[in-house]
Amino acid sequence: FPSHDITAWLAKYNVYHSDAIKHHIMWSESRKALIFPIKEKNEIIFYQERKFDGKPKYLTRGVLDNHIPLFPAVQTKNNLGTVIVVEDFISAIRVSSRYDCVPLFGSHLNKKLAVRPSQIYSNLGIWLDKDKANQSIQFQNEYESLFDSAFSIFSDLDPKCYSDNDIADYVMDAEVSIYDT
């Protein structure tokens, strides 16, 4: 990356050079943006730009169509049968430290995106940013019939802001709460 500021921005979310390489994160000098690509057969089919100067902050290019961008969990002992959806690429990297994760590249979970994981996973966790709590509950109610269970995760900070252990705790607390009601 061209500047210490970008490296520091990623590092504040515990995303380092090895993560950038693994997830093909790039810097575009001409766009002055980080590029978060989704590849299929080694070709970029979709990407999101994260700009640091100016509006809009995020620009999305391409169409995912039938491709569901899945970030498999690094540690799998806690995630059996559970997939977590989050808003952004960096949150997906962070949550995938413990759970299989799908970034929405925004905050809309459409039926097509919900149906595909329901064929693989028993449980759906929805962890949107704090300002989207109502939307999270709406998606939970809308798609819980596709899964054995669906639950929303609520936190003061975005998912990307938490440590691996905090991520595991938030998800486990949310999963347990669905059985307490």
Side-chain angles (χ1 to χ4, degrees):
F1 298 116
S3 82
H4 174 70
D5 292 342
I6 301 303
T7 303
W9 183 82
L10 288 168
K12 82 178 181 181
Y13 301 116
N14 294 312
V15 175
Y16 301 101
H17 187 70
S18 60
D19 300 303
I21 291 170
K22 177 181 177 183
H23 296 285
H24 312 286
I25 298 171
M26 301 171 271
W27 174 256
S28 170
E29 186 59 37
S30 64
R31 296 178 183 277
K32 302 286 190 233
L34 276 175
I35 308 295
F36 304 113
I38 298 299
K39 291 184 170 190
E40 190 171 90
K41 298 180 184 171
N42 252 359
E43 288 194 36
I44 296 173
I45 59 166
F46 175 94
Y47 68 93
Q48 188 171 63
E49 297 178 15
R50 192 336 178 149
K51 294 187 171 279
F52 291 88
D53 57 353
K55 299 275 182 187
K57 186 165 56 171
Y58 286 98
L59 291 171
T60 303
R61 308 262 192 246
V63 179
L64 286 173
D65 283 332
N66 292 322
H67 187 85
I68 303 296
L70 175 68
F71 288 58
V74 175
Q75 299 176 13
T76 59
K77 70 177 187 172
N78 293 330
N79 75 332
L80 301 175
T82 298
V83 64
I84 308 296
V85 296
V86 297
E87 289 186 37
D88 62 90
F89 198 94
I90 298 296
S91 289
I93 291 172
R94 293 298 306 126
V95 171
S96 73
S97 70
R98 296 295 175 101
Y99 292 86
D100 290 0
C101 192
V102 173
L104 299 175
F105 298 103
S107 58
H108 184 71
L109 178 58
N110 64 41
K111 186 164 186 159
K112 183 178 183 179
L113 191 60
V115 167
R116 302 264 329 268
S118 73
Q119 297 166 347
I120 303 166
Y121 298 95
S122 302
N123 310 308
L124 172 68
I126 305 154
W127 194 351
L128 303 181
D129 297 351
K130 185 177 182 176
D131 64 328
K132 303 287 193 239
N134 289 339
Q135 221 170 333
S136 181
I137 293 168
Q138 176 188 342
F139 295 143
Q140 176 185 336
N141 292 335
E142 193 171 343
Y143 301 122
E144 65 187 345
S145 65
L146 298 173
F147 296 85
D148 292 344
S149 70
F151 55 92
S152 293
I153 303 160
F154 305 106
S155 59
D156 288 331
L157 303 174
D158 294 357
K160 64 181 162 264
C161 297
Y162 292 102
S163 71
D164 295 354
N165 289 337
D166 289 339
I167 289 166
D169 289 346
Y170 270 103
V171 173
M172 284 190 283
D173 289 349
E175 283 180 307
V176 167
S177 73
I178 63 172
Y179 297 110
D180 290 343
T181 55

